[in-house]
Amino acid sequence: MAKALASIVSAGCSVFGKREGLSSRELFVEAFHEALERCPDLDPRRDIKASFIGHVYQGYEKQGHLAVALADWAGLTPIPSTRIENACASSTVALRVAVASIAAGFYDIVLVGGAEKLTTLSGIESQDLANTFLDFPTEQWNGISFPSVFAMVARAHMHKYGTTERQMAQVAVKNLSHGIMNPKAAMRKELSIEDIMDSRVISSPIKLQECTMLTDGACCLIITRADLAESFTSIPVDIIGMGQSHEKIGLAGRGDLAIPMAAVRAATEAYQMAGVGPEQIEIAEVHDCFTIGEILAYEALGFCEFGDGGKLLEEGATYKDGRIPVNTDGGLKAKGHPVGATGAAQIYEIYLQLTEQAGERQLKNVDIGLAHNIGGNLSSCTVTIMKRRR
Amino acid sequence: MAKALASIVSAGCSVFGKREGLSSRELFVEAFHEALERCPDLDPRRDIKASFIGHVYQGYEKQGHLAVALADWAGLTPIPSTRIENACASSTVALRVAVASIAAGFYDIVLVGGAEKLTTLSGIESQDLANTFLDFPTEQWNGISFPSVFAMVARAHMHKYGTTERQMAQVAVKNLSHGIMNPKAAMRKELSIEDIMDSRVISSPIKLQECTMLTDGACCLIITRADLAESFTSIPVDIIGMGQSHEKIGLAGRGDLAIPMAAVRAATEAYQMAGVGPEQIEIAEVHDCFTIGEILAYEALGFCEFGDGGKLLEEGATYKDGRIPVNTDGGLKAKGHPVGATGAAQIYEIYLQLTEQAGERQLKNVDIGLAHNIGGNLSSCTVTIMKRRR
C-alpha cells in the first residue's frame, strides 16, 4: 500500500439545512470550532499555515474573495488563503491542491474546507445559479437545466443496461434511511420507494425526491504532513490516493453518457496511487446529487460491473450493514447540498467513520474509505482514498 | 541564490480591451495559441498535465466551472483543471498552487492562466461586481466602493508622508508612456500630469485617469519542472521566489492604512525564498489598479523607504530607462484589467523582458524580475521573483 500523501487530524462540520440569519462566515466558524474542539493540541494561530476553501455561488452573498474573509473570521489572517471553484467538486479539488502544497514543502499544516449559503434563494434563482455550471452555448442556451442533464444520463443508463426507475428511487430510500442517524442532516425523514416514485416528475425519469436540496452549510478539515499527524491525534487518517479528472464541458461533446469517464479516470488514478483496489474499500461516500449519480458511481468506482449498479443496491450491498456501505451519513439526499462544502463533508464522514466518531451510524472495523465527488454535469470528478493508521 | 521552484518555458497573451463577440473561451485560446507558437517542442495534448485558471467574475458570462470549459476549448480535456478566485490576484495565486503541484511531483508540465470578459457590463454592473471583493458588512453595506477604498488609502499616505496628488498622477503618466510601446494594451495614448489632474474626480483624491479600465482579456503561461525546461526553450525563466499574504477582509480591521502589510509580508517571503534583495531586482510589474497602488508597491517591495514612493517616481527611477523600471508594458493603467488574467499578464511581461522578446520596450541585460499582484482592497498580495537562466 502507498505511503500517506498527508493526514487528516481533525474535522468539523456545521449543521446543514436552512440556517436562518447565518452567512457562510458564521457557518464556517461553526465547523472550524468543532475541528478545534476535536484537536486540543492544535493552536490554530501558531500551527495553521494556509487555507484552501471551496466555494461556488460567489456573488449570491455579495462576497467574492471568500477565502480571505473566512480566514479572517477564523482568526487566521494573514496565512495564504485560496478559493477554489470547480462546481460541486470545489472542496475536494481544494483538498488536492492543499495536499500538493504540503507535499511540496510549502506548509506543514493547512485548513481545507468549504462554505455556502443558499436557502434564501428562490427556486428560480437557485436553478439559474446551478445552471451556470453547465455549458453555456450547448446547454444553458437551449434551456437545459441540471435535472435535465441527469435525466438524459439516467435515460442512457436505462436504455443501455435496463436500470429501472425503482432502482434509482431506492438510492434515495437507502440514503434517507441512513440520514435519520445523522444529526447534521437537513432531511431526517424516511421515505418508501412509493413515496419517491409518486413525487412529482422534475425531468423524466427524475422525480422531486430523487433530487438533493441546496442548503446552507460549511465543513472543514485539518490536514498535516503525515509525519506530524501523531502530534495532534491518536488516530490519523492518511490520504493515500487522489484522482481528479474531467470530461468536455458539454454533454454534446462526449461519448457514451452511461459511463461517467471523469469518475472512471479519477478512480483509476486514486486506486493506483493508493495501491488498493475497489475490493479493499470498506466505506464510501459518493455524489448522489440525483439518484442516478450514485448508481453511476458504484460502477465507475468498480464496486460492481458496468450496468450492475441498480442490482448492487437491490441486493443491499451498499446499505449501512452491507458489503460496501455507501453514504452512511445520508448522502447529499439527506444531508443537503451546500455546494462548496459538499466534498469536504464527504471526507468528514469518512474521517468520522475511520476514527470511530460516527455515533449511531458508526460502522465496525473500517480502515479504508473512499470519497467520490462530482462537479457540474459530471464534467469534474475527484476520488480520495483514506486509510486509518493503526 | 535559491534554486528554481519551477520554470516558465512559454507564455501567451490576448490583446486586452473591448473584444467584441469573443468570450473568455476564445480569448483564452488566443493566448494559448501564442504560447504554443513560442514553444514548438511542446505537444500540448501529450505534455500538459494540469491547468490552473484564475477567473473572477463568475456568473457574468453565465459560465461557472470555467477551468473545465477552458481546458476543453484548449483541447486539453481530461487533465485536472482547477479554477482559483482570489479577486484581482487570482492568476498569480493559481501560479502558486501550480508551482506547488509541480514541486510535489503531481505534474511535470502545467498550464497556468486567467481569462475575463467584462466590457459588455454597464458601469453600474461592473461596480457592483467589483464591490463583491470588498467586505460586505463593513464596506459594501455602507456604500464603500473600490475607488473609495483606494481613496482612503491614498489620503492616509498623503497625511502620513506628504505624498502629493501630482505624484500619484505621474504614475499614470509614466505607465501610459510605456503602454504606447505595447501592441496588446487597451489604452495606447499618452497623457500629461495636467490631463490626469483635470480628469473628473471619482473619489477624492482619485481622478478618472488614475483608475484602470476593466477589459476583456486572457493570458497563459507554460510552467515546467526546472530540470525539464531546457527541453522546451533555450532561455528558461526560473521562478525562484514566491510570497502570498493577506490582511483582514475589511479596512476597518487593519492598522496603518499607509502600509500595505499583505504586500510587505509577501515580498519578505519571496525575497527570502529567492535569496535576493530588492536591490537585485532589475524589472518589476506592480499592481497599479489605482495610481496610489503603485506608490504603495514601491515601498512594500523595498525599492525605496516607506514614504518615499512618490519621490522615487519623480526622480525617474521607475521609468523604462530608470534604475528599476516598473510596468514597462504600461501596467494596468495602459493594458487594462481583465481581472482574472491580470496577474498572469504581469508574469508574461517579465517573461518577455527576461527572454528578450519585449519588442520596442525591451530592456537591456535584465536577468531578475519581480511581479506584485494585489487582490481586492489590498487584502491579498502575491509577489513572484523570476530569474533568466544563462
Side-chain angles (χ1 to χ4, degrees):
Chain A
M1 207 168 292
K3 75 176 174 65
L5 298 161
S7 303
I8 308 170
V9 300
S10 189
C13 194
S14 78
V15 171
F16 284 6
K18 188 170 176 63
R19 302 297 308 277
E20 210 113 21
L22 303 179
S23 75
S24 286
R25 300 180 188 204
E26 288 91 358
L27 295 170
F28 188 74
V29 167
E30 180 180 320
F32 187 50
H33 276 179
E34 182 190 330
L36 293 184
E37 278 166 18
R38 258 207 180 98
C39 197
D41 294 330
L42 184 87
D43 175 344
R45 290 184 63 87
R46 178 195 66 197
D47 297 328
I48 297 176
K49 301 302 188 193
S51 72
F52 297 89
I53 301 298
H55 177 63
V56 167
Y57 288 119
Q58 165 196 350
Y60 164 60
E61 284 185 270
K62 303 275 181 213
Q63 190 65 67
H65 220 179
L66 191 74
V68 177
L70 296 185
D72 180 1
W73 277 50
L76 298 174
T77 308
I79 59 165
S81 299
T82 299
R83 174 192 165 206
I84 310 290
E85 181 270 305
N86 269 51
C88 320
S90 295
S91 52
T92 54
V93 173
L95 177 64
R96 184 180 177 93
V97 300
V99 167
S101 298
I102 289 174
F106 277 38
Y107 319 109
D108 290 338
I109 303 172
V110 307
L111 177 64
V112 174
E116 215 77 47
K117 175 72 183 178
L118 296 168
T119 59
T120 41
L121 290 170
S122 70
I124 291 288
E125 286 169 329
S126 62
Q127 282 270 352
D128 275 358
L129 277 175
N131 286 350
T132 65
F133 299 99
L134 305 178
D135 187 38
F136 183 83
T138 65
E139 292 170 349
Q140 295 180 54
W141 185 255
N142 295 297
I144 293 174
S145 66
F146 255 89
S148 48
V149 160
F150 280 84
M152 284 191 274
V153 170
R155 285 281 172 213
H157 207 270
M158 292 165 75
H159 179 72
K160 183 170 180 186
Y161 297 123
T163 300
T164 67
E165 297 190 39
R166 290 185 70 85
Q167 287 171 332
M168 290 190 272
Q170 197 177 344
V171 170
V173 171
K174 171 182 73 71
N175 289 346
L176 289 170
S177 78
H178 294 162
I180 54 169
M181 292 177 281
N182 182 356
K184 293 185 173 174
M187 181 173 180
R188 298 184 69 192
K189 178 183 173 186
E190 287 203 77
L191 293 178
S192 67
I193 288 190
E194 282 63 37
D195 293 332
I196 311 289
M197 296 288 286
D198 292 347
S199 64
R200 79 188 154 87
V201 173
I202 299 297
S203 182
S204 175
I206 293 177
K207 292 121 203 139
L208 179 67
Q209 289 297 354
E210 292 182 288
C211 310
T212 180
M213 298 182 294
L214 293 177
T215 62
D216 311 329
C219 186
C220 69
L221 313 166
I222 311 286
I223 310 291
T224 74
R225 240 173 57 197
D227 61 303
L228 299 177
E230 286 174 21
S231 313
F232 298 105
T233 177
S234 56
I235 314 180
V237 170
D238 292 330
I239 297 169
I240 60 172
M242 306 190 91
Q244 179 185 347
S245 190
H246 301 279
E247 294 221 54
K248 289 173 82 65
I249 184 75
L251 263 62
R254 302 183 200 164
D256 183 352
L257 290 185
I259 298 188
M261 283 308 298
V264 170
R265 285 186 291 256
T268 302
E269 181 189 358
Y271 284 132
Q272 282 178 352
M273 195 183 290
V276 304
E279 64 291 348
Q280 287 164 274
I281 303 300
E282 296 164 317
I283 174 178
E285 286 280 302
V286 312
H287 199 90
D288 61 320
C289 51
F290 299 93
T291 52
I292 184 66
E294 180 158 328
I295 289 172
L296 292 171
Y298 296 161
E299 300 171 7
L301 296 168
F303 296 163
C304 61
E305 297 295 315
F306 285 102
D308 288 346
K311 285 175 221 137
L312 187 77
L313 176 66
E314 280 179 335
E315 292 162 11
T318 56
Y319 278 76
K320 180 176 172 295
D321 52 2
R323 171 169 69 78
I324 166 66
V326 172
N327 290 337
T328 47
D329 59 357
L332 278 58
K333 177 61 197 166
K335 278 185 300 185
H337 188 16
V339 185
T342 289
Q346 296 180 316
I347 306 287
Y348 172 80
E349 174 68 4
I350 301 293
Y351 166 80
L352 290 185
Q353 290 282 0
L354 299 188
T355 55
E356 301 168 37
Q357 299 181 77
E360 196 186 344
R361 63 188 189 277
Q362 179 66 48
L363 302 177
K364 291 209 179 93
N365 301 320
V366 282
D367 280 20
I368 302 183
L370 176 152
H372 155 279
N373 188 196
I374 286 291
N377 52 11
L378 298 155
S379 54
S380 283
C381 184
T382 69
V383 172
T384 310
I385 301 177
M386 291 150 275
K387 181 174 188 296
R388 176 205 161 126
R389 216 179 284 178
R390 288 214 184 252
Chain B
M1 206 167 293
K3 74 175 175 63
L5 299 162
S7 304
I8 308 169
V9 299
S10 189
C13 194
S14 78
V15 170
F16 284 6
K18 188 170 176 64
R19 302 297 308 276
E20 210 113 20
L22 302 179
S23 75
S24 286
R25 301 180 187 204
E26 288 91 359
L27 294 170
F28 188 74
V29 167
E30 179 179 321
F32 187 50
H33 276 182
E34 182 190 330
L36 294 183
E37 277 165 20
R38 264 212 173 92
C39 197
D41 294 330
L42 184 87
D43 175 345
R45 291 183 62 88
R46 179 194 65 196
D47 297 329
I48 297 176
K49 300 301 187 192
S51 72
F52 297 89
I53 301 297
H55 176 63
V56 167
Y57 288 119
Q58 164 196 351
Y60 163 59
E61 283 184 90
K62 303 276 181 213
Q63 190 65 68
H65 220 178
L66 191 74
V68 177
L70 295 185
D72 180 0
W73 277 50
L76 297 174
T77 307
I79 60 166
S81 299
T82 299
R83 174 192 165 206
I84 310 290
E85 180 271 304
N86 269 52
C88 319
S90 295
S91 52
T92 54
V93 173
L95 177 64
R96 185 179 176 92
V97 300
V99 167
S101 298
I102 289 174
F106 277 38
Y107 318 110
D108 290 337
I109 303 171
V110 306
L111 177 64
V112 174
E116 215 77 48
K117 175 72 183 180
L118 296 168
T119 59
T120 41
L121 290 170
S122 70
I124 290 289
E125 287 169 328
S126 62
Q127 282 271 351
D128 275 358
L129 278 175
N131 286 350
T132 65
F133 299 99
L134 306 177
D135 186 39
F136 184 82
T138 65
E139 292 170 347
Q140 295 180 54
W141 184 254
N142 296 296
I144 293 173
S145 65
F146 254 88
S148 48
V149 160
F150 280 83
M152 285 191 274
V153 170
R155 285 283 172 213
H157 207 270
M158 292 165 75
H159 179 73
K160 183 171 181 186
Y161 297 123
T163 299
T164 67
E165 296 189 40
R166 289 185 70 86
Q167 287 172 333
M168 291 189 274
Q170 196 176 342
V171 170
V173 172
K174 170 184 72 73
N175 289 346
L176 290 170
S177 79
H178 294 162
I180 54 168
M181 292 176 282
N182 182 355
K184 293 186 172 173
M187 182 172 179
R188 298 184 69 192
K189 178 183 172 186
E190 288 203 77
L191 293 177
S192 67
I193 289 190
E194 283 62 39
D195 292 332
I196 310 289
M197 296 288 286
D198 293 346
S199 63
R200 79 186 154 89
V201 173
I202 300 296
S203 182
S204 176
I206 292 177
K207 291 120 203 141
L208 179 66
Q209 289 297 353
E210 292 181 288
C211 310
T212 180
M213 297 182 293
L214 293 177
T215 62
D216 311 330
C219 186
C220 69
L221 314 166
I222 311 285
I223 311 289
T224 74
R225 242 173 55 197
D227 61 304
L228 299 177
E230 286 174 21
S231 312
F232 298 105
T233 177
S234 55
I235 315 180
V237 170
D238 293 329
I239 297 169
I240 59 172
M242 306 190 91
Q244 179 185 347
S245 190
H246 301 278
E247 295 221 55
K248 290 173 81 66
I249 185 75
L251 262 63
R254 301 182 201 165
D256 183 351
L257 290 185
I259 298 188
M261 283 308 298
V264 170
R265 284 186 291 256
T268 303
E269 181 189 358
Y271 284 133
Q272 282 177 352
M273 195 183 288
V276 304
E279 64 290 348
Q280 286 164 274
I281 303 300
E282 296 163 317
I283 173 178
E285 286 281 299
V286 312
H287 198 91
D288 60 320
C289 52
F290 299 93
T291 52
I292 183 66
E294 179 158 330
I295 291 172
L296 292 171
Y298 296 161
E299 300 171 6
L301 295 168
F303 296 163
C304 61
E305 297 295 315
F306 286 102
D308 288 346
K311 284 175 220 138
L312 186 77
L313 176 66
E314 279 179 335
E315 291 161 12
T318 56
Y319 278 77
K320 179 175 172 296
D321 52 2
R323 171 169 68 77
I324 166 67
V326 172
N327 290 337
T328 47
D329 58 358
L332 278 58
K333 177 61 196 165
K335 277 185 301 185
H337 188 15
V339 185
T342 289
Q346 295 180 316
I347 306 286
Y348 172 80
E349 174 68 3
I350 300 292
Y351 166 80
L352 290 185
Q353 290 282 359
L354 299 188
T355 55
E356 301 168 37
Q357 300 181 77
E360 197 187 344
R361 63 190 189 275
Q362 180 66 50
L363 303 176
K364 290 209 180 92
N365 302 319
V366 281
D367 280 20
I368 301 184
L370 176 152
H372 154 279
N373 187 196
I374 287 291
N377 52 11
L378 298 156
S379 55
S380 283
C381 184
T382 69
V383 172
T384 311
I385 301 177
M386 291 149 276
K387 182 174 188 296
R388 175 205 160 125
R389 215 179 285 180
R390 288 212 184 253

